[in-house]
Amino acid sequence: MVALLVAASVAVPLSGAARPAAVPAPAPAALGPLTVAGLDARYAANRAAVLAAEKMAHDYGNRRRARALDAMAEPGRTFLSFDGRDGGRTAEVFGDLARAERVAVLVPGSDTSLDQYARLRNGALALSEQLGPRAAVIAWMGYETPATVSPEILTPGRADDAAPQLASFVRELVAAKSAARTTLLCHSYGSVVCAKAASGVDVAGIVLYGSPGSGFDTAAALHTRATVWAGRGGADWIADVPHVSLQLPFVTLGFGTDPVSRHFGAQPFDAGPGGHSDYLKPGSVPLKNISRIVNGEALPEGRHA
């Protein structure tokens, strides 16, 4: 019964989602360690990889993927990594990473792929503009996200696979930008990924928003020195997901304690009246408060949940 409730709560708000088609693409470029001095060379190598993937998608006849990749290859766009195979893996930079004093890493939730990448990019752009010139935002699409209507959305399996990849990326980033203040921003299922990676990264903050749960009972259980923040919009349907964790013989269903609850113990922030996709909407309350967290600023007093 609990499993059915969780499945219905997650699947009903969004329907018709499907995994992206398996469009052929070349293997990713071989890149050395991430360094500030090597950023331009890395950006150039990944742009060439995007163009190669665009040609393969065009030759394969997938116009939607080809259009998406053509847009990604526009002059001025910069990628720390790119792999066009399957649904795609990318880490796009918004702002001047070389000179950034604050860095925000966006970790998305379900149904995020090259074919739906515009949603993640729009949020990253809005946050970058809000933060200003001394900050950089990285849209990290580094794992195979679950489809909203799928069994995987109910379990931590995809997060188990993604967490080591996120932790490795963040450690490399922090090593290259040791003087910068780095924050993880984790939306929806991405909050499960961040929570599982938390003990393996050294960041200033971990922000969980629109979260179905983190897979942990308390913020302290993440075993991180980072400040853990949590917020949820007033109209976010994720509030109706049962916050349970059911251990079955071969799988765990659900993600446990509500991160915005007092029991979880995260620092609350006001996420405004919006819905599940509104947290990084230009001019919104959550965008302003998330940017304050990234900048290490105090939040205004008032409603926090």
Side-chain angles (χ1 to χ4, degrees):
M1 179 64 72
V2 172
L4 288 173
L5 285 172
V6 174
S9 298
V10 174
V12 167
L14 295 174
S15 61
R19 293 303 304 159
V23 182
L31 302 170
L34 175 61
T35 64
V36 170
L39 282 176
D40 287 343
R42 180 176 283 253
Y43 294 157
N46 284 312
R47 184 171 188 274
V50 173
L51 288 169
E54 188 274 333
K55 183 179 185 303
M56 289 187 72
H58 182 271
D59 293 344
Y60 184 72
N62 192 306
R63 295 182 179 179
R64 181 181 185 185
R65 179 66 59 83
R67 285 195 300 270
L69 293 170
D70 183 63
M72 294 177 84
E74 291 177 353
R77 295 186 65 172
T78 50
F79 294 86
L80 292 176
S81 63
F82 175 82
D83 184 350
R85 296 172 296 183
D86 190 27
R89 309 284 190 275
T90 69
E92 184 172 8
V93 178
F94 300 82
D96 187 347
L97 181 59
R99 294 179 172 82
E101 298 173 3
R102 282 99 55 199
V103 179
V105 180
L106 294 183
V107 181
S110 62
D111 293 319
T112 307
S113 70
L114 293 177
D115 295 333
Q116 292 89 21
Y117 183 70
R119 296 178 301 173
L120 177 60
R121 181 172 188 265
N122 289 341
L125 280 169
L127 180 61
S128 179
E129 292 175 1
Q130 183 73 37
L131 288 169
R134 293 187 177 181
V137 177
I138 300 172
W140 184 82
M141 192 180 75
Y143 75 110
E144 183 181 3
T145 65
T148 301
V149 183
S150 71
E152 290 80 11
I153 196 67
L154 309 175
T155 75
R158 293 285 173 86
D160 289 336
D161 294 338
Q165 304 301 319
L166 176 60
S168 177
F169 174 80
V170 173
R171 284 195 295 268
E172 190 175 13
L173 174 67
V174 170
K177 293 289 299 179
S178 58
R181 174 187 175 89
T182 301
T183 306
L184 291 180
L185 306 180
C186 319
H187 179 236
S188 195
Y189 190 89
S191 62
V192 187
V193 178
C194 288
K196 289 183 174 293
S199 63
V201 298
D202 184 13
V203 295
I206 299 174
V207 186
L208 313 178
Y209 54 101
S211 174
S214 68
F216 294 87
D217 289 335
T218 65
L222 273 62
H223 297 294
T224 176
R225 294 184 297 176
T227 301
V228 180
W229 298 82
R232 183 170 62 225
D236 190 341
W237 57 262
I238 206 77
D240 297 325
V241 171
H243 292 98
V244 297
S245 181
L246 180 64
Q247 301 288 332
L248 298 179
F250 301 105
V251 69
T252 300
L253 290 177
F255 305 106
T257 308
D258 186 350
V260 302
S261 69
R262 290 188 177 182
H263 174 75
F264 188 74
Q267 291 291 320
F269 71 92
D270 187 352
H276 193 64
S277 300
D278 296 335
Y279 292 93
L280 299 181
K281 185 176 180 181
S284 68
V285 169
L287 176 65
K288 293 176 181 178
N289 282 335
I290 288 171
S291 70
R292 291 184 179 107
I293 292 170
V294 172
N295 285 332
E297 300 171 357
L299 299 185
E301 295 183 3
R303 188 176 67 86
H304 292 301

